Coordinates of all heavy atoms in Angstrom, one line a residue:
G1 N 65.2 148.5 99.9 CA 66.2 148.5 100.9 C 67.5 147.6 100.5 O 68.5 148.1 100.7
D2 N 67.2 146.4 100.1 CA 68.3 145.5 99.8 C 69.1 145.9 98.6 O 70.3 145.5 98.5 CB 67.8 144.1 99.7 CG 67.3 143.5 100.9 OD1 67.6 144.1 102.0 OD2 66.5 142.6 100.9
F3 N 68.6 146.6 97.7 CA 69.3 146.9 96.4 C 70.0 148.3 96.4 O 70.5 148.7 95.4 CB 68.3 146.8 95.2 CG 67.7 145.4 95.2 CD1 66.4 145.2 95.5 CD2 68.5 144.4 94.6 CE1 65.9 143.9 95.4 CE2 68.0 143.1 94.5 CZ 66.7 142.9 94.9
V4 N 70.0 149.0 97.5 CA 70.5 150.3 97.6 C 72.1 150.3 97.2 O 72.6 151.1 96.5 CB 70.4 150.9 99.0 CG1 71.1 152.2 99.1 CG2 68.9 151.1 99.3
Y5 N 72.8 149.3 97.7 CA 74.3 149.2 97.5 C 74.7 148.3 96.3 O 75.8 148.1 96.2 CB 74.9 148.8 98.8 CG 74.9 149.8 99.9 CD1 74.1 149.6 101.0 CD2 75.6 151.0 99.9 CE1 74.0 150.6 102.0 CE2 75.6 151.9 100.8 CZ 74.7 151.7 101.9 OH 74.6 152.6 102.9
A6 N 73.7 147.8 95.7 CA 74.0 146.7 94.7 C 75.0 147.2 93.6 O 75.9 146.5 93.1 CB 72.7 146.3 94.0
S7 N 74.9 148.4 93.2 CA 75.8 149.0 92.1 C 76.8 150.1 92.6 O 77.3 150.9 91.8 CB 75.0 149.5 90.9 OG 74.4 148.4 90.3
S8 N 76.9 150.3 93.9 CA 77.7 151.3 94.5 C 79.2 150.9 94.6 O 79.5 149.8 94.6 CB 77.2 151.7 95.9 OG 77.5 150.8 96.8
R9 N 80.0 151.9 94.7 CA 81.4 151.7 94.9 C 81.8 150.9 96.2 O 82.8 150.3 96.2 CB 82.2 153.0 94.8 CG 82.2 153.6 93.5 CD 83.1 154.9 93.6 NE 83.1 155.5 92.3 CZ 84.2 155.5 91.5 NH1 85.3 155.0 91.9 NH2 84.1 156.1 90.3
A10 N 80.9 150.9 97.1 CA 81.1 150.2 98.4 C 81.2 148.7 98.2 O 81.9 148.1 99.0 CB 80.0 150.5 99.3
V11 N 80.7 148.1 97.1 CA 80.7 146.7 97.0 C 81.4 146.3 95.7 O 81.4 145.1 95.2 CB 79.3 146.0 96.9 CG1 78.6 146.2 98.3 CG2 78.4 146.7 95.8
M12 N 82.1 147.2 95.1 CA 82.8 146.9 93.8 C 84.4 146.6 94.1 O 85.0 147.4 95.0 CB 82.7 148.0 92.8 CG 81.4 148.1 92.2 SD 81.4 149.3 90.9 CE 79.8 149.1 90.3
E13 N 84.9 145.8 93.3 CA 86.4 145.6 93.4 C 87.0 145.9 92.0 O 86.3 145.7 91.0 CB 86.7 144.1 93.7 CG 86.5 143.7 95.2 CD 87.5 144.5 96.1 OE1 88.7 144.6 95.7 OE2 87.1 144.9 97.2
S14 N 88.3 146.2 92.0 CA 88.9 146.4 90.8 C 89.1 145.2 89.9 O 89.3 144.1 90.5 CB 90.3 147.0 91.0 OG 91.1 147.2 89.8
G15 N 88.9 145.3 88.6 CA 89.1 144.1 87.7 C 90.5 144.2 87.0 O 90.7 143.4 86.2
S16 N 91.3 145.1 87.4 CA 92.6 145.2 86.8 C 93.4 143.9 87.0 O 93.5 143.4 88.1 CB 93.4 146.4 87.3 OG 92.7 147.6 87.1
H17 N 94.1 143.5 86.0 CA 94.9 142.2 86.1 C 95.8 142.1 84.9 O 95.6 142.7 83.9 CB 94.0 141.0 86.2 CG 93.2 140.6 85.0 ND1 92.1 141.4 84.6 CD2 93.4 139.7 84.1 CE1 91.6 140.8 83.5 NE2 92.4 139.8 83.2
I18 N 96.8 141.2 85.1 CA 97.8 140.9 84.0 C 97.6 139.4 83.9 O 97.9 138.6 84.8 CB 99.2 141.3 84.3 CG1 99.2 142.8 84.4 CG2 100.1 140.8 83.2 CD1 100.6 143.4 84.9
R19 N 97.2 138.9 82.7 CA 97.0 137.5 82.4 C 98.0 137.0 81.4 O 98.3 137.6 80.4 CB 95.5 137.3 81.9 CG 95.2 135.9 81.5 CD 93.8 135.8 80.9 NE 92.8 136.4 81.9 CZ 92.3 135.7 82.9 NH1 92.6 134.5 83.1 NH2 91.4 136.3 83.6
L20 N 98.4 135.7 81.7 CA 99.3 135.1 80.7 C 98.4 134.1 79.9 O 98.0 133.1 80.4 CB 100.4 134.3 81.5 CG 101.5 133.7 80.6 CD1 102.3 134.8 79.8 CD2 102.6 133.0 81.5
G21 N 98.1 134.6 78.7 CA 97.1 133.9 77.9 C 97.7 132.9 77.0 O 97.4 131.6 77.1
D22 N 98.4 133.2 76.0 CA 99.0 132.4 74.9 C 100.5 132.6 74.9 O 101.0 133.7 74.8 CB 98.4 132.7 73.6 CG 97.0 132.4 73.5 OD1 96.5 131.3 73.7 OD2 96.2 133.4 73.1
V23 N 101.2 131.5 75.0 CA 102.7 131.5 74.9 C 103.1 130.4 73.9 O 102.6 129.3 74.0 CB 103.3 131.2 76.3 CG1 104.8 131.1 76.1 CG2 102.9 132.3 77.2
R24 N 104.0 130.8 73.0 CA 104.5 129.8 72.0 C 106.0 130.0 72.0 O 106.5 131.0 71.8 CB 103.9 130.1 70.6 CG 104.4 129.0 69.6 CD 103.8 129.3 68.3 NE 103.9 128.2 67.3 CZ 105.0 128.0 66.5 NH1 106.0 128.9 66.6 NH2 105.1 127.0 65.8
L25 N 106.7 128.9 72.3 CA 108.1 128.9 72.2 C 108.5 127.9 71.1 O 108.0 126.9 71.0 CB 108.7 128.3 73.5 CG 108.3 129.1 74.8 CD1 108.9 128.3 76.0 CD2 109.0 130.5 74.8
G26 N 109.5 128.3 70.3 CA 109.8 127.5 69.1 C 111.3 127.5 68.9 O 112.1 128.4 69.3
Y27 N 111.8 126.4 68.3 CA 113.2 126.2 68.0 C 113.3 125.7 66.6 O 112.6 124.7 66.3 CB 113.8 125.2 69.0 CG 115.3 125.0 68.6 CD1 116.2 126.0 68.9 CD2 115.7 123.8 68.1 CE1 117.6 125.8 68.6 CE2 117.0 123.5 67.8 CZ 118.0 124.5 68.1 OH 119.3 124.3 67.8
R28 N 113.9 126.4 65.7 CA 114.1 126.0 64.3 C 115.6 125.6 64.0 O 116.5 126.3 64.4 CB 113.7 127.2 63.4 CG 113.6 126.9 62.0 CD 113.1 128.0 61.2 NE 112.6 127.5 60.0 CZ 111.7 128.0 59.2 NH1 111.2 129.2 59.5 NH2 111.3 127.4 58.2
F29 N 115.6 124.5 63.3 CA 117.0 124.1 62.9 C 117.0 123.3 61.6 O 116.0 122.9 61.1 CB 117.5 123.1 64.1 CG 116.6 121.9 64.3 CD1 116.9 120.7 63.7 CD2 115.6 122.0 65.2 CE1 116.2 119.6 64.0 CE2 114.8 120.9 65.4 CZ 115.0 119.7 64.9
E30 N 118.2 123.3 61.0 CA 118.3 122.6 59.7 C 119.3 121.4 59.9 O 120.4 121.7 60.2 CB 118.8 123.5 58.6 CG 117.8 124.6 58.3 CD 118.2 125.5 57.2 OE1 119.0 125.0 56.3 OE2 117.7 126.6 57.0
P31 N 118.8 120.2 59.8 CA 119.7 119.0 60.0 C 120.8 119.0 58.9 O 120.7 119.5 57.9 CB 118.7 117.9 59.8 CG 117.3 118.4 59.9 CD 117.5 119.9 59.5
T32 N 121.8 118.3 59.3 CA 122.9 118.1 58.4 C 123.0 116.6 57.9 O 122.2 115.8 58.4 CB 124.3 118.4 59.1 OG1 124.4 117.6 60.2 CG2 124.3 119.9 59.5
G33 N 123.9 116.3 57.1 CA 124.0 114.9 56.6 C 123.0 114.5 55.6 O 122.6 115.3 54.7
A34 N 122.4 113.3 55.8 CA 121.4 112.8 54.8 C 120.1 113.6 54.9 O 119.4 113.6 53.9 CB 121.2 111.3 55.1
L35 N 119.9 114.3 56.0 CA 118.6 115.0 56.1 C 118.8 116.5 55.7 O 117.9 117.3 55.9 CB 118.0 114.9 57.5 CG 117.7 113.5 58.0 CD1 117.3 113.5 59.5 CD2 116.7 112.9 57.1
R36 N 120.0 116.8 55.1 CA 120.2 118.1 54.7 C 119.2 118.7 53.7 O 118.7 118.0 52.9 CB 121.6 118.2 54.1 CG 122.2 119.6 54.1 CD 123.7 119.5 53.8 NE 123.9 120.4 52.7 CZ 125.0 120.4 51.9 NH1 125.9 119.4 52.1 NH2 125.2 121.3 51.0
G37 N 118.9 120.0 53.9 CA 117.9 120.6 53.0 C 116.5 120.6 53.6 O 115.6 121.3 53.2
M38 N 116.3 119.9 54.8 CA 115.0 119.9 55.4 C 115.0 121.0 56.4 O 116.0 121.3 57.1 CB 114.8 118.6 56.2 CG 114.6 117.4 55.2 SD 114.5 115.9 56.1 CE 112.9 116.0 56.9
K39 N 113.9 121.7 56.6 CA 113.7 122.7 57.6 C 112.9 122.1 58.7 O 111.7 121.7 58.4 CB 113.1 124.0 57.0 CG 114.0 124.6 56.1 CD 113.4 125.9 55.5 CE 114.3 126.5 54.5 NZ 113.7 127.7 53.8
T40 N 113.3 122.1 59.9 CA 112.6 121.5 61.0 C 112.4 122.5 62.1 O 113.3 123.3 62.4 CB 113.3 120.3 61.5 OG1 113.7 119.4 60.4 CG2 112.6 119.5 62.5
S41 N 111.2 122.5 62.7 CA 111.0 123.3 63.9 C 110.2 122.5 64.9 O 109.3 121.7 64.6 CB 110.2 124.6 63.5 OG 109.0 124.3 62.8
L42 N 110.5 122.8 66.1 CA 109.9 122.2 67.3 C 109.2 123.3 68.1 O 109.9 124.4 68.3 CB 111.0 121.4 68.1 CG 110.5 120.7 69.4 CD1 109.6 119.6 69.0 CD2 111.7 120.2 70.1
F43 N 108.0 123.1 68.5 CA 107.3 124.2 69.3 C 106.6 123.6 70.5 O 106.2 122.5 70.5 CB 106.5 125.0 68.4 CG 105.3 124.4 67.9 CD1 104.1 124.3 68.6 CD2 105.3 123.7 66.7 CE1 103.0 123.7 68.1 CE2 104.2 123.1 66.2 CZ 103.0 123.1 66.9
L44 N 106.4 124.5 71.5 CA 105.6 124.3 72.7 C 104.7 125.4 72.8 O 105.1 126.6 72.7 CB 106.5 124.2 73.9 CG 105.8 124.0 75.2 CD1 105.1 122.8 75.4 CD2 106.9 124.2 76.4
Y45 N 103.4 125.1 72.9 CA 102.3 126.1 73.0 C 101.5 126.0 74.3 O 101.1 124.8 74.6 CB 101.5 126.0 71.8 CG 100.3 126.9 71.8 CD1 100.4 128.3 71.6 CD2 99.0 126.4 72.1 CE1 99.2 129.1 71.7 CE2 97.9 127.3 72.2 CZ 98.0 128.6 71.9 OH 96.9 129.5 72.1
G46 N 101.3 127.0 75.0 CA 100.5 127.0 76.3 C 99.4 128.0 76.2 O 99.6 129.1 75.7
N47 N 98.2 127.7 76.7 CA 97.1 128.5 76.6 C 96.5 128.6 78.0 O 96.4 127.6 78.7 CB 96.0 128.0 75.6 CG 94.8 128.9 75.5 OD1 94.1 129.1 76.5 ND2 94.6 129.4 74.3
N48 N 95.9 129.8 78.4 CA 95.3 130.1 79.7 C 96.2 129.6 80.8 O 95.9 128.8 81.7 CB 93.9 129.4 79.8 CG 93.2 129.8 80.9 OD1 93.3 130.9 81.4 ND2 92.2 128.9 81.4
L49 N 97.4 130.2 80.9 CA 98.4 129.8 81.9 C 98.2 130.4 83.2 O 98.9 130.1 84.2 CB 99.8 130.1 81.3 CG 100.1 129.4 80.1 CD1 101.5 129.7 79.6 CD2 99.9 127.9 80.1
G50 N 97.3 131.4 83.4 CA 97.0 132.0 84.6 C 97.1 133.5 84.7 O 97.5 134.2 83.8
I51 N 96.8 134.0 85.9 CA 97.0 135.5 86.1 C 98.2 135.7 86.9 O 98.6 135.1 87.9 CB 95.8 135.9 87.0 CG1 94.5 135.8 86.2 CG2 96.0 137.4 87.4 CD1 93.2 136.2 87.0
L52 N 99.0 136.6 86.4 CA 100.3 137.0 87.0 C 100.1 138.0 88.1 O 100.9 137.9 89.1 CB 101.3 137.6 85.9 CG 101.6 136.7 84.7 CD1 102.5 137.4 83.8 CD2 102.3 135.5 85.2
W53 N 99.2 138.9 88.0 CA 98.9 139.9 89.0 C 97.5 140.4 88.9 O 96.9 140.4 87.8 CB 99.8 141.2 88.7 CG 99.5 142.3 89.5 CD1 99.9 142.5 90.8 CD2 98.6 143.4 89.2 NE1 99.4 143.8 91.3 CE2 98.6 144.3 90.3 CE3 97.9 143.8 88.1 CZ2 97.9 145.5 90.3 CZ3 97.2 144.9 88.1 CH2 97.1 145.8 89.2
R54 N 96.8 140.6 90.0 CA 95.5 141.2 90.0 C 95.4 142.2 91.2 O 96.0 142.1 92.2 CB 94.5 140.0 90.3 CG 94.5 139.3 91.6 CD 93.6 138.2 91.7 NE 94.2 137.0 91.4 CZ 93.7 135.9 90.8 NH1 92.4 135.9 90.5 NH2 94.4 134.9 90.6
A55 N 94.5 143.2 90.9 CA 94.4 144.3 91.9 C 93.5 144.0 93.0 O 93.7 144.5 94.1 CB 93.9 145.5 91.1
N56 N 92.6 143.1 92.9 CA 91.7 142.7 94.0 C 92.3 141.8 94.9 O 93.2 141.0 94.6 CB 90.3 142.2 93.5 CG 90.4 140.9 92.9 OD1 90.6 139.9 93.6 ND2 90.3 140.8 91.6
R57 N 91.9 141.9 96.2 CA 92.5 141.2 97.3 C 91.8 139.8 97.6 O 92.1 139.1 98.5 CB 92.6 142.0 98.5 CG 91.3 142.5 99.1 CD 91.6 143.3 100.3 NE 90.2 143.8 100.8 CZ 89.8 145.0 100.7 NH1 90.5 145.9 100.1 NH2 88.6 145.3 101.2
Y58 N 90.8 139.5 96.8 CA 90.0 138.3 97.1 C 90.2 137.2 96.1 O 89.6 136.2 96.2 CB 88.5 138.7 97.0 CG 88.1 139.8 98.0 CD1 87.8 141.0 97.6 CD2 88.0 139.4 99.3 CE1 87.5 142.0 98.5 CE2 87.7 140.4 100.2 CZ 87.3 141.7 99.8 OH 87.0 142.6 100.8
G59 N 91.2 137.4 95.2 CA 91.5 136.3 94.3 C 90.5 136.1 93.2 O 90.4 135.0 92.5
I60 N 89.7 137.2 92.9 CA 88.7 137.1 91.9 C 89.3 137.2 90.5 O 90.1 138.1 90.3 CB 87.6 138.2 92.1 CG1 86.9 138.1 93.5 CG2 86.6 138.2 90.9 CD1 86.1 139.2 93.8
D61 N 88.9 136.2 89.6 CA 89.3 136.4 88.2 C 88.2 137.1 87.5 O 87.1 136.6 87.3 CB 89.4 135.0 87.7 CG 89.8 134.9 86.2 OD1 89.8 135.9 85.6 OD2 90.3 133.9 85.7
P62 N 88.5 138.4 87.0 CA 87.4 139.2 86.4 C 86.8 138.6 85.1 O 85.7 138.9 84.8 CB 88.2 140.5 86.0 CG 89.6 140.3 86.3 CD 89.7 139.0 87.0
D63 N 87.5 137.7 84.4 CA 87.0 137.1 83.3 C 86.0 135.9 83.6 O 85.2 135.5 82.7 CB 88.0 136.6 82.3 CG 88.8 137.7 81.7 OD1 88.3 138.8 81.7 OD2 89.9 137.4 81.1
R64 N 86.1 135.4 84.7 CA 85.4 134.2 85.2 C 84.5 134.5 86.5 O 84.3 133.6 87.3 CB 86.2 133.0 85.5 CG 87.2 132.8 84.4 CD 86.6 132.0 83.2 NE 87.6 131.6 82.3 CZ 87.7 132.1 81.0 NH1 86.7 132.9 80.6 NH2 88.6 131.7 80.2
A65 N 84.2 135.8 86.7 CA 83.5 136.1 88.0 C 82.2 135.5 88.2 O 81.8 135.2 89.3 CB 83.3 137.7 88.0
Q66 N 81.4 135.1 87.1 CA 80.1 134.5 87.3 C 80.1 133.0 87.2 O 79.2 132.3 87.4 CB 79.2 135.0 86.2 CG 79.0 136.5 86.2 CD 78.4 137.0 87.5 OE1 77.6 136.4 88.1 NE2 79.0 138.2 88.0
S67 N 81.3 132.4 86.9 CA 81.4 130.9 86.8 C 82.1 130.3 87.9 O 83.0 130.8 88.5 CB 82.3 130.7 85.5 OG 82.5 129.3 85.3
T68 N 81.6 129.2 88.3 CA 82.2 128.3 89.4 C 83.3 127.4 88.8 O 84.1 126.9 89.5 CB 81.1 127.5 90.1 OG1 80.4 126.7 89.2 CG2 80.2 128.5 90.9
L69 N 83.2 127.1 87.5 CA 84.2 126.2 86.9 C 85.1 127.0 86.1 O 84.8 127.7 85.2 CB 83.5 125.2 86.0 CG 82.5 124.2 86.6 CD1 81.8 123.3 85.6 CD2 83.2 123.4 87.6
L70 N 86.4 126.9 86.4 CA 87.5 127.6 85.7 C 88.1 126.7 84.7 O 88.4 125.5 85.1 CB 88.5 128.1 86.7 CG 88.0 129.1 87.7 CD1 89.1 129.5 88.7 CD2 87.4 130.3 87.1
P71 N 88.3 127.1 83.5 CA 89.0 126.3 82.5 C 90.4 126.1 82.9 O 91.1 127.0 83.4 CB 88.9 127.1 81.2 CG 88.7 128.5 81.6 CD 88.0 128.5 82.9
G72 N 91.0 124.9 82.6 CA 92.3 124.6 82.9 C 93.2 125.1 81.9 O 92.8 125.5 80.8
S73 N 94.5 125.0 82.1 CA 95.6 125.2 81.1 C 95.6 124.2 80.1 O 95.3 123.0 80.4 CB 96.9 125.4 81.8 OG 96.9 126.4 82.8
S74 N 96.0 124.5 78.9 CA 96.2 123.5 77.9 C 97.6 123.7 77.3 O 98.1 124.8 77.2 CB 95.1 123.6 76.8 OG 95.2 124.8 76.1
W75 N 98.2 122.5 76.9 CA 99.5 122.5 76.4 C 99.6 121.7 75.1 O 98.9 120.7 74.9 CB 100.5 121.9 77.3 CG 100.7 122.7 78.6 CD1 100.0 122.6 79.7 CD2 101.6 123.7 78.8 NE1 100.4 123.5 80.6 CE2 101.4 124.2 80.1 CE3 102.6 124.3 78.0 CZ2 102.2 125.3 80.6 CZ3 103.4 125.3 78.5 CH2 103.2 125.8 79.8
S76 N 100.4 122.2 74.1 CA 100.6 121.4 72.8 C 102.0 121.4 72.5 O 102.8 122.3 72.8 CB 99.8 122.0 71.7 OG 98.5 122.1 72.0
V77 N 102.5 120.3 72.0 CA 103.9 120.1 71.5 C 103.8 119.7 70.0 O 102.9 118.9 69.7 CB 104.6 119.1 72.3 CG1 106.0 118.9 71.7 CG2 104.6 119.5 73.7
G78 N 104.6 120.4 69.2 CA 104.6 120.0 67.8 C 105.9 119.9 67.1 O 106.9 120.6 67.6
L79 N 105.9 119.3 66.0 CA 107.2 119.1 65.2 C 106.7 119.4 63.8 O 105.8 118.8 63.3 CB 107.8 117.8 65.4 CG 109.0 117.5 64.4 CD1 110.2 118.4 64.8 CD2 109.4 116.0 64.5
R80 N 107.4 120.3 63.1 CA 107.1 120.6 61.7 C 108.3 120.4 60.9 O 109.4 120.8 61.1 CB 106.7 122.1 61.6 CG 106.3 122.5 60.2 CD 105.9 123.9 60.2 NE 105.6 124.2 58.8 CZ 105.1 125.4 58.4 NH1 104.8 126.3 59.3 NH2 104.9 125.7 57.2
I81 N 108.1 119.6 59.8 CA 109.2 119.3 58.9 C 108.8 119.7 57.5 O 107.8 119.3 57.0 CB 109.5 117.7 58.9 CG1 109.9 117.3 60.3 CG2 110.5 117.4 57.9 CD1 110.0 115.9 60.5
E82 N 109.7 120.5 56.9 CA 109.5 121.0 55.5 C 110.6 120.4 54.7 O 111.8 120.5 55.1 CB 109.5 122.5 55.4 CG 108.4 123.2 56.2 CD 108.6 124.7 56.2 OE1 109.1 125.2 55.1 OE2 108.3 125.3 57.2
Y83 N 110.3 119.9 53.5 CA 111.3 119.3 52.7 C 111.2 119.9 51.3 O 110.2 120.1 50.7 CB 111.1 117.8 52.6 CG 112.3 117.1 51.8 CD1 113.6 117.2 52.4 CD2 112.0 116.6 50.6 CE1 114.6 116.5 51.7 CE2 113.1 115.9 49.9 CZ 114.4 116.0 50.5 OH 115.3 115.4 49.8

């Protein structure tokens, strides 16, 4: 009796969603003067930035449906210098 609706459409929600997973923004520049000839780039990287849109109305994250702990966002900043 209790398992009749366990896999039916009556208890299922859509898992459709748009997720912002990995984003990298960079800026590349070449210094002048004494540092001329060096190639330098600065970047910002973000991971697991969240869900932009989801089809279900309950706020369910389809990738984390069985987990009570959700991973947080992570950010990195970097500077690369080539000479």
Side-chain angles (χ1 to χ4, degrees):
D2 292 341
F3 299 105
V4 173
Y5 292 106
S7 297
S8 75
R9 288 182 181 253
V11 294
M12 289 187 173
E13 283 293 322
S14 173
S16 299
H17 67 287
I18 298 173
R19 177 181 303 276
L20 191 56
D22 295 306
V23 174
R24 185 178 191 273
L25 300 172
Y27 178 72
R28 187 172 202 160
F29 57 97
E30 294 186 23
T32 59
L35 301 177
R36 198 165 130 201
M38 295 176 68
K39 294 179 182 176
T40 309
S41 58
L42 179 66
F43 68 88
L44 173 67
Y45 172 77
N47 182 299
N48 193 25
L49 302 181
I51 295 178
L52 300 176
W53 172 83
R54 68 184 96 212
N56 70 72
R57 61 180 179 258
Y58 300 107
I60 299 169
D61 183 342
D63 289 348
R64 312 279 186 245
Q66 302 300 319
S67 176
T68 55
L69 297 175
L70 299 176
S73 300
S74 64
W75 294 92
S76 299
V77 176
L79 175 66
R80 181 178 176 174
I81 300 172
E82 297 176 35
Y83 186 69

